Structure formats: C-alpha cells, structure tokens
C-alpha cells in the first residue's frame, strides 16, 4: 500500500482494477489463485481497505459489528500476494494506448496497464425535491454513510425511510429494533418491487407493519421540511401530510458509475454493456459487479435478456468468470443468481429470477413468518423467495441448475421436505 509521499509515483501494472469493492477483491484473488503472475493493482477512492457492504444496513447499525471487522482481507494478504492496493485515490481519466491503457488518478499518478477492469460499483440516487440535501437526509452506500447514519440514528426519535427496497427496509428494521418510530414511504404500489414477486411483496407489507413500522405505498413525496437550523424536521406528502423526522434515510436505488466507460467510448445503457465474458463493447476492457449490464446468466425469461445485478453473489461470480477471460480461457457466464436481505428477524433468501413467472405456489405459513414463495413459468420452477426457510432456499438453489418440472401440489405440501420433492423432480 502506498504511503502519502509515494502517492504520485507512476506505476506500470499487468491488470489494473478500478474500484476497491467486492468484485475487485474477488477478481484479484482469483487471478492469483489461478497462477496469474504479473502485477495486479487495485485503485479505490475510499480510504479503507476493501470491506463488505451488506452489514452496513444491518449488524453495523445495530452495534453488533464494527467497521474494522468488515474487511475482506488484511493488508498482509494483499502484499503477500503481490496485489497493490491504492486507497483514497480516484481514477479521473482513462485512455487506450497501443499496448493497453493509461489512467490518471486524483493523486496525480499515471498508471499504465496491459488489462483494464472497471469494478466501480454504483452511486446512490438522490431525490429531485426541495430539501433533499438538508442535514439529516442520508443515503447508504459506503462506510462513511453508515457512520453518519448511525450517529443520526442514535439521536433521532422519528425516522422516515424513503424507498421500500432491500436497503430501505433493512435500515427501517434496524431503526425499529433500536426503538425508533419508523415510517417507510414507497412510491410504488408494492415493496421491493424490482426484486421479488407480488406475493412476496404483499407478505412483507404485512410482516413489516406487524413489526410496528408504518408503511405508505404509492407515496407522493413533495418535499423535505427543515427547521431554521437547516436540520430536517419532516417529509411532506402531496396530500399535505407531514411525517415528522429527525432522520431521513434515502434508499431510492443506485445509478451505475459509467463515467470512465464513457471516456473510453464504450456502450453504456443502465450500466456498462458487456458480453457474457464480461468484455465491454471495445472487446478489451472488462466491467464487473454492480456497474455492469450483462446478458442474463440465467436466461429463463425470454423477455429478460440483459440484467444489471446488484448483489454479492453476482460480484463474486462475475469476477470469477472475468478472471477466465483475462487468463485466456474464457467461459460464458452462466449461473443461478441468488440474493439475501436480512430485515430484523426476517431472513429473505432468493434463488433465481422470478421475472416472467406465470404461477406462484405458497409453501409454509406466512402468519408464522416462515414461508417460501415458489415461482414457475410454463410448468418449470424458475425462482423462490424464502423467508426464514434456509433449507428450502438451499434446495431450490441446487435444483435450479437443472430444468425442474414438478407437480404444484407437491410443492405446496409441507409434509414432505422440499429438498426431497425437488430431488425427485430433477431425477424424474
Ligand atoms: C448498505 C448495503 C447493504 C447491502 N446488502 C446486501 C445484501 O444483503 N446482500 C447482497 O447480495 N448484496 C447487498 N448489497 C449489495 C452489494 O454490497 C453490492 O452488490 C456489491 O458491493 C457490489 O460490488 P462491486 O465491487 O460491484 O461494487 P462496490 O462494492 O460498490 O465497489 C466499487 C468501489 O469502486 C469505487 N470507485 C468508484 N469509482 C471509482 C474511481 N473512479 N476510482 C477509484 N475508485 C472508484 C467505489 O467508491 C467503491 O468503493 C448491499 C449494499 C449496500 C450498500
């Protein structure tokens, strides 16, 4: 790792990975494990060693996990494996050269590489409404945001969460567990609408309310109110209601970081467009993780040919496939996507993609908060949203690697283990 005085020294490297997050760390270690022997350099603009983001909205806010414990790897791991990690340094410009590319960083350094990987993640969206930049309106993407959110949470009595997606609901559950009065305002007619089926959303609406969190769907937010000191005091809705808040957590989605791709003239469309070897439109630059728009690695819905997946699983799997591309042994990226979201005592695990389903089977008891929603398309099982049902999740995840056609009545029958039902279906 560079010291301050070394920061401006130019560098020459083999693979240069821009972005020090989940995908970057995975790619660097997979390349080393596979015997890649040239220098690898990661440049990340955050001041910390690469760390896990998922606990930021859960264990960290609850005080169960400290930031220092979230690092993927120690600095010794990186130096022992010949992986240079430049922290607090932003790549500001990039251009192709005859042999590769050259980037320039905020520290005034030029880095020449023979392979460039963009693993730059995404930035949280803000809302174009009056008061959106007031003190106390906080997005959550990185460790700095989590510290600010945690400090505010300690002092707030009323918390409004704008956005009922994974991160919004995780923050809401954490705040509620800490005894705050919490209101979730969601503009859409359902919670987590981008990620789960309507049946799962409906269950979550009920379960979230049962946990003492107020939820308004179809919310039309017109502004954020502030006091004379510029501090947030509430959120104003189109019908004139003002929901009081000393903290507003914004969880309204992210925008993929595409500036460097645009400098390179790469195709960009809701992310950096790549093929199933993670190659961008120039056939040379790679893009992985949250910033990449890729051919669906799990093509079960013919109308969903491309996806941008925001998950640990995709960052890891796509990085592993990208390593094969760099090593000259490309393998098309095919994988059953999976996700999780811990919201207080509700552990949601999702296997597959439910987009395009035409049938839903409910297995278990929603009222007891132990339920699995199984999604089928033309008689084939394509996805499951599992709540507090890890065995069902493991069984579905395994089975989805094949073409599973199964009697819906057996899927709903909890007297038989799902693993047994699915094993029979796969071998049938
Ligand atoms: C609060 C929170 C909770 C989450 N919970 C879950 C969960 O429960 N389950 C799950 O599957 N996923 C979860 N995720 C999503 C998951 O963390 C992401 O999908 C994953 O981190 C993506 O990895 P990445 O490497 O693509 O991007 P990131 O981890 O975002 O890393 C990108 C890095 O690149 C840096 N960067 C960007 N531009 C530049 C530049 N020009 N120069 C240098 N550095 C740059 C960024 O600052 C960042 O550090 C959560 C995310 C958040 C924020």
């Amino acid at each position: 790792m560079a010291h301050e005085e070394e920061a401006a020294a130019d560098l020459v490297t083999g693979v240069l990975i821009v972005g020090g997050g989940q995908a970057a760390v995975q790619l660097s270690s997979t390349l080393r494990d596979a015997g890649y022997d040239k220098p690898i350099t990661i440049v990340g603009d955050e001041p910390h060693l690469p760390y896990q983001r998922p606990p930021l909205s859960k264990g960290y806010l609850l005080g169960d996990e400290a930031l220092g414990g979230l690092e993927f790897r120690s600095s010794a791991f990186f130096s022992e494996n010949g992986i240079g990690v430049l922290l607090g340094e932003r790549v500001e410009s990039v251009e192709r050269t005859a042999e590769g590319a050259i980037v320039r960083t905020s520290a005034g350094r030029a880095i020449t590489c023979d392979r460039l990987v963009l693993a730059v993640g995404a930035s949280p969206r803000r809302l174009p409404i009056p008061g959106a930049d007031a003190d106390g309106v906080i997005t959550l993407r990185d460790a700095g945001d989590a510290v600010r959110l945690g400090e505010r949470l300690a002092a707030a009595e009323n918390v409004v969460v704008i956005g009922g997606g994974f991160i919004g609901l995780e923050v809401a559950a954490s705040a509620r567990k800490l005894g705050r009065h919490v209101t979730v305002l969601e503009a859409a007619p359902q919670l987590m609408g981008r990620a789960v089926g309507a049946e799962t959303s409906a269950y979550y609406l009920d379960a979230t309310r049962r946990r003492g969190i107020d939820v308004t769907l179809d919310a039309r937010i017109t502004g954020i109110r502030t006091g004379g000191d510029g501090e947030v005091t509430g959120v104003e809705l189109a019908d004139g209601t003002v929901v009081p808040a000393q903290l507003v957590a914004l969880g309204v989605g992210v925008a993929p970081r595409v500036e460097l791709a645009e400098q390179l003239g790469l195709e960009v469309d809701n992310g950096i467009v790549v093929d199933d070897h993670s190659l961008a439109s120039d056939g040379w630059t790679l893009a992985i993780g949250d910033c990449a728009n890729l051919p669906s690695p799990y093509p079960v819905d013919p109308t969903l040919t491309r996806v941008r997946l925001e998950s640990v699983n995709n960052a890891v799997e796509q990085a592993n496939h990208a390593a094969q591309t760099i090593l000259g042994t490309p393998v098309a990226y095919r994988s059953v996507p999976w996700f999780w979201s811990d919201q207080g005592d509700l552990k949601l695990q999702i296997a597959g993609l439910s987009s395009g389903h035409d049938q839903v089977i409910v297995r278990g008891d929603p009222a007891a908060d132990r339920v699995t929603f199984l999604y089928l398309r033309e008689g084939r099982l394509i996805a499951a949203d599992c709540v507090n049902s890890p065995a069902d999740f493991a069984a579905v995840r395994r089975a989805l690697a094949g073409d599973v056609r199964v009697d819906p009545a057996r899927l709903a029958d909890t007297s038989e283990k799902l693993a047994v039902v699915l094993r029979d279906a796969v071998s049938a």
Side-chain angles (χ1 to χ4, degrees), residues 284-295:
W284 181 81
T285 308
L286 293 101
I288 55 175
D290 283 15
C291 67
N293 174 335
L294 55 146

Side-chain angles (χ1 to χ4, degrees), residues 18-24 43-46 51-58 89-92 119-122 140-142 167 170 257 259-260 288-291 309-313 315 338-342:
V18 184
Q22 183 94 44
V43 188
D45 59 2
E46 294 190 60
Y51 59 90
Q52 307 168 55
R53 292 180 202 281
L56 297 181
S57 48
K58 314 171 184 93
E89 207 165 323
R90 183 169 182 76
V91 171
E92 293 182 328
V120 287
L140 178 54
R141 179 71 193 183
D142 61 28
I167 291 180
E170 288 173 8
R257 292 187 168 116
E259 304 82 3
L260 297 175
I288 55 175
D290 283 15
C291 67
L309 297 168
E310 296 164 17
S311 70
V312 166
N313 161 248
W338 58 271
F339 311 84
W340 83 92
S341 174
D342 294 339

